[in-house]
Amino acid sequence: MDHALIESTLGGLVAANSRVLERDCEQIALQYLAQQVVPQFDVDSADFDRDPHLICADRYWFHRFQAEPTLHTAVECAGWLAEHVGAAVHEPIREKWALGYAFVTRDSVESAGEIADATGDIVAADDSGCNKAYFATLYHAGKLRANFFFDELAQFLDASPLAMASGPHRESVLFTALRAFAAFGSRRATDEYARTLFGEVWSDGDRTYAAVDVLLNGLDASPEFAGQGELLRDSAAEALLAYPNSHILHFRLATGRWLCGEYETAMVSIDTALRLLPAAGRRVSHELLQGQYLARREAIKAGRVAARQAEVERERAERTEREIGRLADTVRGSVVRAVELVAVFAAVIAFAVGSLNVSLNGNLALADRLWIVAGLGGGLAGFALLVVGGTWAIAHRLTSE
């Protein structure tokens, strides 16, 4: 192949529109594949939307992984990255390629024997062995993550010779984020352990977009625990300050708000995620993600309807309770009035009968009869007041309770 001509052609695509850029880069990548030649140009940008060199390399390695989704392909890709990608943009491209190609080839998880064979070749390689092992580790771990094999992922990262061969890369934020993902989803790990790993990555000033994505993915996939929704909501909102156009982060924010019962704002977030979701992409599946987003949108709608119905029922129950309270007050008041009336009426009858007997008793002087009548009236009046006061006190205590 005429590598100089290809470089010139790619350079001329810098100002091309996106349709021409995608088409021509794809054609050049297919030429490399047809002639079984590895691209010879260098990449010094992480702009996957506008850099022709990066787009062409991306197309090339996408087809390579599609044709042979193995750790050996991952090792070759890692070697090409080391030779042709600038140090300033090496990490974001490595992370995006390793996890992205893992996602699109997630149906081809390699066996323990295949991993062991690849590990042997990597360990026997040159000084770049730990870099190649790290890329291969991310690639295999990405497959396990895409299939939600939480326990297998945890075991692979902690004990696999391939992961061990990554050397100092085992301390990277993305490696720890993958361990946190496995811990969140595993039934064997505690919530506290998972959140500890989460905090280590989140507090790291060097955390990358890929690490954030993996962390929030694990938190979203975790079995329910206290504070899960709040942690997901707040973390996604913070991450969006740095990556405002990330559809997946808007999706995570929508999920967190949904878990917190904040249905109105959750609907805004999920609609934003759907609007930002690209119609095409080599390392993502538009149909799969769109299906997930629409399913979450329906869940948010259902939650909102249920919340509104619950609010109506609560208001109805409160109105019923108030009506019952007013009715009870009315009944208690009526009973009190009745008791008071009976007490007064009984006192009047007793006074009338008693005073009549005294009046008809001709053996007593008039003054004596008046004193007896007055005493009888006073006693009955006191009795009536006692009954009325006691009834009022009892009714007041019941009302206050």
Side-chain angles (χ1 to χ4, degrees):
M1 293 185 67
D2 189 338
H3 296 292
L5 177 60
I6 289 178
E7 288 241 34
S8 176
T9 301
L10 290 173
L13 292 174
V14 172
N17 63 55
S18 59
R19 186 185 300 274
V20 173
L21 182 62
E22 294 282 336
R23 181 197 63 201
D24 290 0
C25 287
E26 176 75 9
Q27 290 176 351
I28 294 173
L30 291 176
Q31 291 178 33
Y32 278 115
L33 290 165
Q35 298 189 32
Q36 299 183 351
V37 177
V38 178
Q40 297 300 305
F41 53 78
D42 294 333
V43 174
D44 57 8
S45 163
D47 188 349
F48 281 86
D49 296 322
R50 293 302 311 166
D51 183 359
H53 294 84
L54 179 56
I55 294 173
C56 183
D58 188 34
R59 299 294 182 271
Y60 171 82
W61 286 108
F62 170 81
H63 289 296
R64 285 287 306 272
F65 275 99
Q66 285 284 80
E68 190 178 359
T70 66
L71 291 173
H72 291 288
T73 304
V75 169
E76 288 187 49
C77 184
W80 189 90
L81 278 167
E83 293 180 10
H84 296 281
V85 175
V89 297
H90 188 277
E91 195 59 29
I93 294 176
R94 171 165 60 184
E95 293 182 347
K96 190 164 187 174
W97 276 6
L99 297 181
Y101 297 144
F103 180 80
V104 297
T105 60
R106 60 190 179 280
D107 59 344
S108 59
V109 178
E110 293 180 86
S111 66
E114 291 170 323
I115 295 174
D117 291 341
T119 302
D121 295 339
I122 294 170
V123 172
D126 52 25
D127 294 338
S128 64
C130 69
N131 290 323
K132 294 178 179 179
Y134 181 52
F135 188 95
T137 297
L138 292 181
Y139 177 63
H140 185 72
K143 289 183 180 181
L144 297 176
R145 171 209 174 193
N147 288 294
F148 298 100
F149 294 165
F150 300 107
D151 292 329
E152 293 83 349
L153 175 58
Q155 183 177 7
F156 171 72
L157 294 174
D158 291 341
S160 169
L162 178 60
M164 297 295 182
S166 300
H169 295 296
R170 288 173 55 81
E171 304 301 321
S172 70
V173 289
L174 182 54
F175 197 97
T176 305
L178 286 166
R179 292 175 59 215
F181 175 90
F184 271 123
S186 175
R187 301 283 181 176
R188 301 176 183 176
T190 64
D191 299 336
E192 291 75 14
Y193 175 66
R195 279 180 283 186
T196 297
L197 293 175
F198 183 98
E200 289 180 12
V201 176
W202 204 259
S203 61
D204 194 320
D206 294 328
R207 71 172 188 259
T208 62
Y209 174 80
V212 169
D213 179 33
V214 169
L215 273 183
L216 297 184
N217 187 192
L219 183 55
D220 187 359
S222 172
E224 184 177 358
F225 62 85
Q228 178 185 14
E230 291 78 5
L231 181 58
L232 180 57
R233 176 198 62 195
D234 297 343
S235 300
E238 181 181 341
L240 280 168
L241 296 176
Y243 312 102
N245 294 320
S246 170
H247 60 87
I248 193 68
L249 293 182
H250 282 284
F251 172 67
R252 303 298 181 207
L253 178 58
T255 302
R257 288 173 166 172
W258 171 60
L259 291 174
C260 293
E262 301 169 0
Y263 302 112
E264 297 300 331
T265 52
M267 186 62 71
V268 173
S269 295
I270 197 64
D271 286 343
T272 303
L274 285 164
R275 178 173 55 82
L276 293 174
L277 179 63
R282 294 286 173 166
R283 287 166 305 279
V284 299
S285 170
H286 174 80
E287 292 76 13
L288 176 61
L289 291 179
Q290 186 183 55
Q292 291 179 356
Y293 292 5
L294 289 174
R296 184 55 44 83
R297 192 177 193 277
E298 289 301 311
I300 293 170
K301 285 175 60 179
R304 183 169 61 180
V305 170
R308 288 174 177 173
Q309 291 176 341
E311 180 64 19
V312 170
E313 292 298 326
R314 185 185 64 80
E315 292 177 354
R316 182 182 294 116
E318 289 179 352
R319 286 197 302 269
T320 301
E321 185 177 353
R322 287 195 296 268
E323 291 297 328
I324 292 174
R326 282 195 293 266
L327 180 59
D329 290 340
T330 301
V331 171
R332 281 194 292 265
S334 299
V335 171
V336 170
R337 300 290 86 77
V339 171
E340 292 172 348
L341 182 60
V342 169
V344 172
F345 184 72
V348 170
I349 295 298
F351 177 74
V353 173
S355 62
L356 181 61
N357 289 333
V358 172
S359 299
L360 295 177
N361 190 345
N363 297 325
L364 295 174
L366 177 60
D368 293 335
R369 280 182 283 179
L370 290 175
W371 279 110
I372 292 174
V373 170
L376 177 62
L380 291 174
F383 167 75
L385 289 174
L386 180 62
V387 171
V388 171
T391 304
W392 180 88
I394 294 172
H396 178 72
R397 181 169 61 82
L398 294 175
T399 303
S400 61
E401 292 176 354

